[in-house]
Amino acid sequence: MSKRLLLIDTTSNCLDLALRAKLAGWQVKWYNQPRGGGEPRMAGKGMIDKIEDFHELKRKWIDWADLIYLPDNCKWLDMLEPYRLQGYPILAPSTDAAELELDRAAGQKAMADAGIVIMQSKAFFDYDDAIAFVKKNPQYLVSKPSGDACKALSYVASDPADLVYMLTRWKSRDDLRRAARKEGFILQERKYGVEMAIGGWYGPGGW
């Protein structure tokens, strides 16, 4: 009997995996979140069996699957956490793991607690508070959002006036003020040098 793969996706990230799994003989079901206006996404249409009704995931497909995969750490983790704790085969971060990336202050604290030397940062939920802070602490020239925010909100300023200008621009938008109140953002010291990233896979046998 072929294995069954359930993909729970936000922006068509799973199309390549879905096709490769199907080619390898897996049964594949794919929920691909509609666009903001409710318009269904056309990726994979006619190639992969797509789930149109989100509510069917819990009613039918979670128990159907041999493996459940989410490519995103911002959606539906709370819904799936009880299943993960019961031992369902879910390949996705736990809510605690996702928090380390989505909540920048929490991620910074976790690294500091582990003995990693980190750059100084301060968390904010209000643009006026952040603007006042930058005026008194001109070495804080980097702003990074928490949560599932637009990457354009990650900003490295050339001087304090530059950062105050950007914070003031963001403050003028209702949606960004709401996001700041809900998710927060950090201001960080600017350091000059080269930024590098390291990634790895972790499985039953370790790294």
Side-chain angles (χ1 to χ4, degrees):
M1 183 177 177
S2 61
K3 293 289 188 177
R4 296 170 294 194
L5 174 63
L6 172 61
L7 304 168
I8 306 177
D9 201 353
T10 52
T11 52
S12 305
N13 291 309
C14 288
L15 178 57
D16 184 66
L17 175 61
L19 292 171
R20 289 172 184 268
K22 185 176 178 181
L23 185 64
W26 285 59
Q27 297 179 57
V28 181
K29 297 289 184 181
W30 182 20
Y31 175 77
N32 194 11
Q33 183 184 29
R35 299 180 187 278
E39 177 188 354
R41 298 182 187 274
M42 300 303 291
K45 186 174 178 64
M47 295 184 285
I48 301 295
D49 289 334
K50 303 189 78 171
I51 300 168
E52 302 296 340
D53 183 354
F54 176 79
H55 299 290
E56 283 192 356
L57 289 175
K58 293 177 69 173
R59 287 200 301 259
K60 184 175 181 180
W61 300 113
I62 288 178
D63 283 323
W64 168 86
D66 293 307
L67 178 63
I68 301 164
Y69 173 66
L70 282 74
D72 194 282
N73 62 3
C74 301
K75 297 276 189 180
W76 309 306
L77 297 180
D78 288 334
M79 178 191 79
L80 290 173
E81 186 68 1
Y83 293 97
R84 187 186 69 81
L85 294 174
Q86 291 178 57
Y88 278 65
I90 298 172
L91 183 56
S94 68
T95 51
D96 290 339
E99 183 186 28
L100 295 178
E101 182 176 2
L102 297 175
D103 184 336
R104 289 187 183 271
Q108 294 279 303
K109 182 179 184 303
M111 288 189 287
D113 290 347
I116 300 172
V117 178
I118 64 172
M119 290 180 282
Q120 292 299 308
S121 64
K122 184 173 175 60
F124 293 90
F125 293 86
D126 179 85
Y127 284 117
D128 284 327
D129 291 345
I131 290 168
F133 180 82
V134 171
K135 291 178 178 178
K136 293 181 180 179
N137 300 271
Q139 73 274 25
Y140 286 75
L141 295 176
V142 179
S143 178
K144 294 184 177 181
S146 291
D148 187 21
C150 173
K151 302 309 177 189
L153 296 176
S154 290
Y155 189 73
V156 180
S158 56
D159 55 47
D162 180 18
L163 184 53
V164 167
Y165 170 75
M166 291 304 298
L167 292 168
T168 303
R169 280 189 60 186
W170 296 333
K171 171 190 165 183
S172 69
R173 287 180 47 177
D174 291 341
D175 59 332
L176 297 184
R177 287 200 308 274
R178 285 194 299 270
R181 286 195 298 269
K182 180 182 177 183
E183 305 286 356
F185 60 98
I186 65 169
L187 297 183
Q188 192 174 62
E189 287 184 305
R190 178 170 180 172
K191 299 293 185 182
Y192 293 86
V194 177
E195 181 176 358
M196 300 179 66
I198 299 174
W201 293 102
Y202 189 81
W207 287 101

